[in-house]
Amino acid sequence: MKLAAALALLALTAAAPHPALAQRVSTIDGNRLLALCTGKNVSGCDAYVSGFADSEYSVSPRRICVPLAVTGTALRETLVAFLRTNPAALPHKAADITLRAYLRAYPCGK
């Protein structure tokens, strides 16, 4: 009886959704991203854009192709320029804006 109960509990646990597998949803929008990328300490922005660019290499087919010579500083400057010239994008999700900026600046196959 104890074995059956343990197996049933194990089966229920395995079938339950795991919070670690849930999709992470960021609350950062373009306004916050612009502030992060133009403030006194831009290290958070640099980490964000480098991580974003790095993550694109796991997407198949790849959507952006950042040349190896492009630095984190250049990635930040590209994003800031996009944010400043596209103010209508500021209320949108940071990830969507960043993708749009880098699709324009670093398209694959060109």
Side-chain angles (χ1 to χ4, degrees):
M1 183 69 170
K2 288 183 181 182
L3 179 59
L7 289 173
L9 181 59
L10 182 61
L12 286 174
T13 303
H18 296 280
L21 299 177
Q23 182 177 356
R24 182 179 172 280
V25 177
S26 175
T27 58
I28 298 175
D29 67 3
N31 290 299
R32 177 71 182 116
L33 187 59
L34 183 58
L36 185 66
C37 294
T38 58
K40 284 185 177 183
N41 183 355
V42 295
S43 61
C45 176
D46 288 348
Y48 177 84
V49 297
S50 292
F52 186 93
D54 288 347
S55 72
E56 282 298 309
Y57 282 90
S58 65
V59 176
S60 181
R62 197 175 309 157
R63 297 178 288 185
I64 65 171
C65 293
V66 180
L68 291 175
V70 174
T71 64
T73 300
L75 286 172
R76 176 175 22 93
E77 290 169 350
T78 297
L79 179 58
V80 168
F82 183 86
L83 290 166
R84 287 187 170 149
T85 58
N86 294 280
L90 294 176
H92 298 280
K93 290 182 184 180
D96 293 340
I97 297 167
T98 305
L99 179 60
R100 284 181 49 208
Y102 293 159
L103 281 170
R104 185 176 292 173
Y106 311 110
C108 293
K110 292 193 178 194

